[in-house]
Amino acid sequence: MDAYYIIISFIFGITLGSFYNVVGYRLPRGESLVYPSSHCTSCNHKLGVLDLFPVFSFLFLGGKCRYCKQKISWFYPFFEFMTGLLFALSYIIFGATIQFFISIVFISLLLIVIISDYQTMIIPDELLLIGGCLLMILIGIDKGIETLFVSIFHGIIAFLIMFLIKKMGDFLFKKESMGGGDIKLMFIFGLVLGVPMTLISIFLASFIGLPISLYILYRKKDHEIPFGPFLSVAAMILFFSQLNIERLIEILY
């Protein structure tokens, strides 16, 4: 029976992953999420039902548009597959619990952040507001009002810490060192992960992002690099590993 729900979670994930691609692209641009309907970005031809099956349509069509034969970026099926994998992993770890729904909301928000921040350098306020409200409702149902208030407090502290880091960066580099979306995102991290884990996520994101950033800057010296995708990947790693401070100390010593 568990295998059945894992497969269902995966299918649900790849389906939503396809939609998250649209949300991440259109939301920060102020475009409608439903109009125009899905179309080829090369020839603008409206896509049919057979073109819209997540992952499988890409494989069936050989990675090319059915109409203009232009290559489709591998990123789309990869992102859909990873969304399905993360949803399945959420069920494997948390089972049929409220924690499972907290997990898929948190992961969904972070995946859209990756798309949006990478493509437009914007993390939409609407995304953080809706995601934050859903998470607070689920945390309240799962842990109770008292724990919810503690989680909100952690979110506020994480937000303030990131705000101070930004101000220090602005002072040191004499320019905008971090976007406002990254700071607001820290509230979500604090809400779900707590302050200690949020601080670790910042350092982990820097560690993950440093070699990638150096390579990008080597290729394109004037290229701006968003921090949101690295923060999101770091948060997902910590969330799924369920790492805590005591365990970290044990590993180090």
Side-chain angles (χ1 to χ4, degrees):
M1 184 62 72
D2 278 347
Y4 170 79
Y5 288 116
I6 291 170
I7 294 171
I8 292 298
S9 297
F10 177 79
I11 294 173
F12 185 52
I14 62 173
T15 303
L16 283 181
S18 180
F19 177 63
Y20 294 162
N21 265 311
V22 176
V23 175
Y25 180 84
R26 295 188 182 185
L27 187 61
R29 291 177 168 85
E31 299 176 2
S32 170
L33 300 182
V34 295
Y35 182 84
S37 56
S38 296
H39 57 277
C40 173
T41 55
S42 296
C43 66
N44 289 321
H45 196 289
K46 181 179 177 180
L47 300 181
V49 175
L50 295 178
D51 306 313
L52 294 173
F53 281 97
V55 181
F56 299 106
S57 288
F58 179 86
L59 298 175
F60 177 74
L61 295 171
K64 296 180 180 179
C65 172
R66 180 194 300 273
Y67 310 99
C68 66
K69 306 304 179 183
Q70 286 292 318
K71 287 186 177 181
I72 302 170
S73 172
W74 61 267
F75 180 80
Y76 296 113
F78 174 77
F79 185 83
E80 292 163 356
F81 178 80
M82 287 304 300
T83 305
L85 195 63
L86 290 169
F87 273 42
L89 185 59
S90 295
Y91 185 84
I92 291 170
I93 294 175
F94 301 111
T97 64
I98 296 296
Q99 276 288 321
F100 168 73
F101 293 102
I102 292 174
S103 178
I104 62 173
V105 171
F106 186 51
I107 295 306
S108 296
L109 187 152
L110 295 180
L111 289 170
I112 297 173
V113 165
I114 291 173
I115 294 289
S116 176
D117 204 21
Y118 174 74
Q119 292 190 346
T120 67
M121 301 288 291
I122 296 173
I123 300 177
D125 290 340
E126 305 95 315
L127 173 64
L128 298 177
L129 179 61
I130 294 172
C133 288
L134 286 174
L135 287 168
M136 284 189 281
I137 292 170
L138 290 169
I139 291 171
I141 294 173
D142 186 42
K143 301 292 185 180
I145 297 298
E146 186 175 337
T147 300
L148 173 59
F149 283 138
V150 172
S151 296
I152 293 173
F153 177 73
H154 276 265
I156 294 170
I157 296 300
F159 171 87
L160 292 175
I161 289 173
M162 199 63 161
F163 179 76
L164 290 174
I165 292 174
K166 170 191 161 46
K167 288 299 181 182
M168 291 174 59
D170 292 350
F171 176 76
L172 291 173
F173 299 110
K174 307 301 181 184
K175 64 178 183 178
E176 193 82 10
S177 61
M178 189 182 302
D182 296 329
I183 301 171
K184 297 168 191 173
L185 183 60
M186 288 303 100
F187 174 81
I188 303 295
F189 283 20
L191 186 70
V192 176
L193 300 175
V195 171
M197 295 287 282
T198 297
L199 294 177
I200 293 174
S201 74
I202 296 172
F203 287 106
L204 181 58
S206 301
F207 179 78
I208 294 171
L210 180 60
I212 298 173
S213 300
L214 289 175
Y215 175 75
I216 293 173
L217 290 174
Y218 173 76
R219 297 291 299 273
K220 301 178 181 179
K221 293 184 178 181
D222 60 343
H223 189 76
E224 291 188 53
I225 301 170
F227 195 37
F230 300 124
L231 286 169
S232 298
V233 170
M236 284 189 275
I237 291 172
L238 294 175
F239 180 74
F240 280 120
S241 67
Q242 297 294 289
L243 186 65
N244 56 49
I245 297 300
E246 291 80 10
R247 179 57 179 160
L248 180 62
I249 293 173
E250 289 177 10
I251 292 172
L252 293 176
Y253 294 98

